[in-house]
Amino acid sequence: MTMARMLTVAAAQLGPIARTDSKASVVKRLLALMREAKALGADVVAYPELALTSFFPRWYFEDQAQIDQFFETEMPSPETQALFDEAKRLSIGFHLGYAELVDNAGSKRRFNTAILVNQQAEIIHRYRKIHLPGHDQHEPWRAFQHLEKRYFEVGDLGFGVVNAFGGLMGVCICNDRRWPESYRVMGLQGVEMIFIGYNTPVHNPPAPEHDALSNFHNRLVMQAGAYQNASWVLGVAKAGLEEGVMQIGQSQIIAPSGELVAQCSTLGDELCVARCDLDLCLSYKQTTFNFERHRQPEQYRLIVERRGAQLPLQNT
Ligand code: ING
């Protein structure tokens, strides 16, 4: 009987953050959730994508200075230092999504970023969002904008996996979870737990016929990603009616079997917690998804070589 490698994780779902809410007021909410997570035995607490502010890509801004107010130029920042301090005091790790502004001697770069912080409050992993959804020009026909392609650069750190919290940890962000490649690149590094923060409007202006399936699609892609890569997946939402836009909740924790083990049931600040045995990944990694034994990468070249679909030539 192999020893179980238990990791207790808490998805710390956030309800709406108003445009006028200060980062300090949000950090107070994050601290309350961190303390509750610790009290419930969590080793790690995971906050959503862009957890410090309202989801600002829903608005069109001309003035870069206005946009940059949503970003952090350092991490820990003055407002988040309290979070790092409390994490160290409580000895709990955390995942945090935020807007990262990197100023390299005058050349500014902006990313939709998430970090993993260990129980000694050290940043041990950084991920910058690669699949940026939406559009880059103001499209006033939309009930609300989705300007991630305007405000962020494509991430330049790849999909990394780090040895932490007793296992192999990975991170991706929101729209990344809809693309199987995101999970597979981490799966090919042996990932055992993937943290995914998200801000997902129920309504998608280009395809309103999808709206009723928002929660289904959210669960579908994360359960598939978990099972097909023999990994735990923790999805954590910024939820509820935020500045007039309804965003899905249903933060959830999914086992390597693909089974749902815990889920939030409100659209506010809410924890869902699960005791995860990282060794549950092994039976899948050693059999059904033994990549080394079963995959045929030479047959998959189109996945890397081709961006958009190209139809087959007639009568070839
Ligand atoms: N949000 C959404 C997401 O991928 C979206 C954008 C919604 C794309 C619905 C397609 C359909 O969950 C972010 N922040 O990526």
Side-chain angles (χ1 to χ4, degrees):
M1 170 67 182
T2 54
M3 286 295 292
R5 270 181 306 141
M6 302 310 289
L7 181 67
T8 300
V9 294
Q13 175 177 290
L14 287 178
I17 298 178
R19 181 169 169 177
T20 53
D21 284 345
S22 67
K23 292 174 184 176
S25 70
V26 174
V27 167
K28 283 192 173 59
R29 291 165 60 183
L30 302 182
L31 286 167
L33 288 163
M34 179 179 278
R35 291 174 187 129
E36 187 183 354
K38 182 66 180 179
L40 293 170
D43 303 306
V44 185
V45 58
Y47 301 113
E49 169 193 32
L50 296 176
L52 300 174
T53 67
S54 204
F55 187 73
F56 63 90
R58 71 165 67 88
W59 297 302
Y60 175 68
F61 296 104
E62 289 276 4
D63 175 11
Q64 189 63 53
Q66 209 172 358
I67 298 165
D68 286 353
Q69 288 174 348
F70 293 101
F71 284 76
E72 308 307 318
T73 56
E74 54 186 334
M75 188 51 68
S77 59
E79 294 90 350
T80 54
Q81 186 58 57
L83 200 61
F84 282 70
D85 295 344
E86 185 70 349
K88 190 168 188 174
R89 187 180 73 82
L90 295 174
S91 184
I92 185 169
F94 65 93
H95 161 281
L96 178 70
Y98 67 96
E100 178 190 15
L101 198 165
V102 186
D103 190 343
N104 288 333
S107 78
K108 292 187 176 181
R109 306 184 66 202
R110 296 170 179 83
F111 299 100
N112 185 340
T113 296
I115 53 173
L116 290 182
V117 180
N118 68 15
Q119 289 97 330
Q120 292 74 44
E122 297 154 338
I123 297 175
I124 50 163
H125 184 59
R126 182 183 305 274
Y127 170 73
R128 291 166 174 166
K129 186 174 183 179
I130 287 168
H131 296 96
L132 298 171
H135 47 105
D136 62 0
Q137 296 301 315
H138 187 204
E139 296 183 3
W141 62 268
R142 292 169 179 258
F144 49 88
Q145 305 298 297
H146 199 115
L147 288 162
E148 293 195 61
K149 290 185 193 295
R150 184 183 185 86
Y151 297 146
F152 303 117
E153 280 185 53
V154 171
D156 58 350
L157 301 176
F159 297 101
V161 170
V162 64
N163 198 326
F165 310 129
L168 292 166
M169 306 289 134
V171 175
C172 66
I173 299 176
C174 204
N175 195 254
D176 289 322
R177 77 190 186 288
R178 299 181 192 275
W179 302 93
E181 295 89 346
S182 307
Y183 302 92
R184 183 49 47 91
V185 171
M186 291 187 274
L188 287 167
Q189 300 169 74
V191 74
E192 296 174 316
M193 171 80 73
I194 301 171
F195 297 90
I196 311 177
Y198 57 89
N199 285 248
T200 300
V202 171
H203 176 50
N204 187 25
E209 66 276 20
H210 300 172
D211 294 3
L213 296 169
S214 295
N215 280 320
F216 166 67
H217 288 154
N218 182 49
R219 180 184 294 185
L220 175 68
V221 293
M222 293 197 290
Q223 285 185 291
Y227 169 62
Q228 290 168 338
N229 294 280
S231 175
W232 288 87
V233 168
L234 182 153
V236 56
K238 169 101 81 49
L241 187 63
E242 185 173 273
E243 297 290 341
V245 176
M246 180 57 79
Q247 302 195 141
I248 66 168
Q250 298 206 346
S251 303
Q252 53 196 268
I253 300 166
I254 297 162
S257 61
E259 292 169 297
L260 183 68
V261 297
Q263 180 173 295
C264 287
S265 53
T266 73
L267 293 175
D269 291 13
E270 178 186 352
L271 286 181
C272 75
V273 182
R275 293 187 76 244
C276 304
D277 178 358
L278 298 178
D279 283 339
L280 288 180
C281 301
L282 299 180
S283 72
Y284 291 94
K285 289 185 192 294
Q286 292 164 358
T287 60
T288 311
F289 296 110
N290 178 332
F291 289 164
E292 180 59 36
R293 181 167 164 72
H294 297 306
R295 291 184 72 249
Q296 303 293 343
E298 64 284 353
Q299 306 285 354
Y300 310 152
R301 291 191 191 286
L302 280 189
I303 292 176
V304 172
E305 291 165 359
R306 196 175 281 187
R307 180 191 300 274
Q310 291 172 24
L311 305 186
L313 298 175
Q314 296 308 322
N315 310 323
T316 44

